Amino acid sequence: MRRIIITLLVLILNLMFAGCGGVFFRQWPQHSEHLPVSHELDSVPFYPQEAYQCGPASLSMALTWSGIQTNPETITPEVFTPSRKGSLQSAMIGATRRHGRLAYPITGPDSIFEEVSAGHPVIVLQNLGLSWYPVWHYAVVVGYDLHKSTVILHSGVTPRKRLSFRVFYNTWARSDYWGLLVLSPSRLPAMATKHNYISAVLGLEKAHQWRAAIEGYKTALARWPGSLSARMGLGNSYYALGDLESAEAAFREATRRFPTDGMAFNNLAQVLWEQGKQQEALEAAGRAVDLDGPLVEEYRKTLKGIQAGKP
Amino acid sequence: MVRRVAKPVSIVLTICMLLLSLPHKSAFAGMIGTETVLDATRGQEARDYLNRIFARADVRASLIAQGIDPLEAKARVASLSDAEIVSLADQIEELPAGGSALGIIVGALLIVFIVLLITDILGYTDIFPFVKKHSEVK
């Protein structure tokens, strides 16, 4: 009888802790040789949170750090969902963009200290509970110490709270290492990849933050001058602002660098046409159609539109 | 009664669903949106990126040192699909020490990565799940 009870208890314990995040300790952080031994940002303000308001508080800290004057009270209606008593990640990203800031998500545990040592605070989502009893919490990582194995966070009502790597890693792993950089579009994340960065700038376009998007695409082009997407995005953002001359310049540069790509010629044609440069527009649109490609139907429409007359 | 109401409602709903499921169009007539460009160019840019890596002298030297013909390796990589190539380029870009900036010292990590990748494709190792093995038994 006793054996059966023990077996059952072991089974229950196993079930309780099954799937509770990554199992520390797989030598984290990896590749830390090139990192400063410790780093702490002193330029990130601290806003203590009220009940359930860790999302607005964390976002306010990051936005204020990035140069946007704000506070948790003004941010709360933008991100907080009362029925869920919390803030969804998508709302955090959306609010960041609405303030003209670049929302760069971090996925995976490996780049967080690179960002902090480059001077960027990182909003992280932790599950302070267990996988089957989640207690979701946003905090802002503002420092770390490799010697003492601690992460320093602005968290809840505690500024500069120190957590051991083990606790931090385990609570963060339960959100699949969700993290967010809130950056001025003139800054590049320390570990930026081209596609992720341009996707983040595209988010600014979606939020109709054209000026911020322009800035972001320029930042992208300084780093990846060969990116057609960034150059087209730059032209499209100028176009959306009504700055046709700058849009034309961007698309012209795109056609110069990518003379075999119809997309650049198509947009150049449209912009020329809207400036009344009919002949040049016809040439560009014809070129796009000649170059062919999966979007050739779009190019034909543009060409027909120009041939038909008025913009 | 229900039937009489249901028909027009279902037609309206059908149209709404169709509109929702149409491919993304740029917000402005005549213009190709940035999202479309991003999707269209991603595979090609990743391919160019990998080709530039294969052109590096240190990468070629270490491949030869492993007994791998760089030309053959390049050809094998070229046979990967767009999605596989993109995944590969992302992994190289995410290597620490600025793996994406080809100009600066990337050091041993990139070399190890490339060598493992090539040996994966050739079937000696099995590190990267996205690499399809040519000798895979169907």
Side-chain angles (χ1 to χ4, degrees), chain A residues 21-261:
Chain A
V23 179
F24 207 65
F25 198 55
R26 54 162 193 104
Q27 192 55 48
W28 183 77
Q30 284 188 318
H31 315 302
S32 57
E33 312 81 38
H34 60 285
L35 286 171
V37 173
S38 69
H39 194 77
E40 193 169 342
L41 309 177
D42 47 17
S43 54
V44 186
F46 175 72
Y47 297 122
Q49 73 168 80
E50 302 187 2
Y52 304 122
Q53 307 280 344
C54 57
S58 299
L59 187 55
S60 307
M61 293 184 232
L63 279 172
T64 308
W65 167 82
S66 79
I68 301 282
Q69 285 305 316
T70 186
N71 57 57
E73 287 78 52
T74 49
I75 293 293
T76 299
E78 294 175 25
V79 299
F80 191 65
T81 313
S83 60
R84 304 282 294 264
K85 290 184 181 151
S87 307
L88 297 173
Q89 289 118 296
S90 52
M92 301 278 281
I93 290 174
T96 304
R97 289 173 182 161
R98 291 215 301 273
H99 286 274
R101 284 297 178 254
L102 191 91
Y104 190 90
I106 286 192
T107 49
D110 289 331
S111 65
I112 185 162
F113 294 153
E114 269 87 356
E115 296 300 343
V116 173
S117 64
H120 306 149
V122 186
I123 299 177
V124 289
L125 179 62
Q126 296 168 282
N127 177 358
L128 305 178
L130 294 167
S131 62
W132 48 272
Y133 183 76
V135 180
W136 296 109
H137 178 67
Y138 289 105
V140 183
V141 176
V142 295
Y144 65 86
D145 189 325
L146 294 177
H147 271 334
K148 294 179 184 153
S149 293
T150 50
V151 178
I152 305 161
L153 308 112
H154 284 348
S155 176
V157 292
T158 318
R160 311 202 170 283
K161 179 178 182 172
R162 284 169 185 273
L163 270 188
S164 72
F165 279 175
R166 174 186 291 273
V167 172
F168 175 75
Y169 187 91
N170 284 336
T171 53
W172 190 33
R174 291 180 203 129
S175 76
D176 271 337
Y177 316 103
W178 189 88
L180 186 69
L181 294 173
V182 174
L183 297 176
S184 150
S186 59
R187 278 188 106 117
L188 212 53
M191 303 298 282
T193 66
K194 180 166 68 174
H195 184 264
N196 289 354
Y197 188 77
I198 293 172
S199 300
V201 182
L202 177 62
L204 286 167
E205 253 195 87
K206 297 269 175 199
H208 291 202
Q209 295 286 332
W210 311 115
R211 285 177 206 286
I214 287 168
E215 180 99 28
Y217 286 128
K218 283 183 177 167
T219 307
L221 286 169
R223 176 75 159 79
W224 299 286
S227 167
L228 175 60
S229 309
R231 222 163 271 285
M232 294 290 285
L234 182 65
N236 284 342
S237 303
Y238 277 126
Y239 177 81
L241 266 184
D243 183 349
L244 296 183
E245 270 177 46
S246 303
E248 181 189 326
F251 292 132
R252 257 193 213 292
E253 181 64 18
T255 58
R256 200 181 64 73
R257 282 176 179 262
F258 301 91
T260 57
D261 195 289

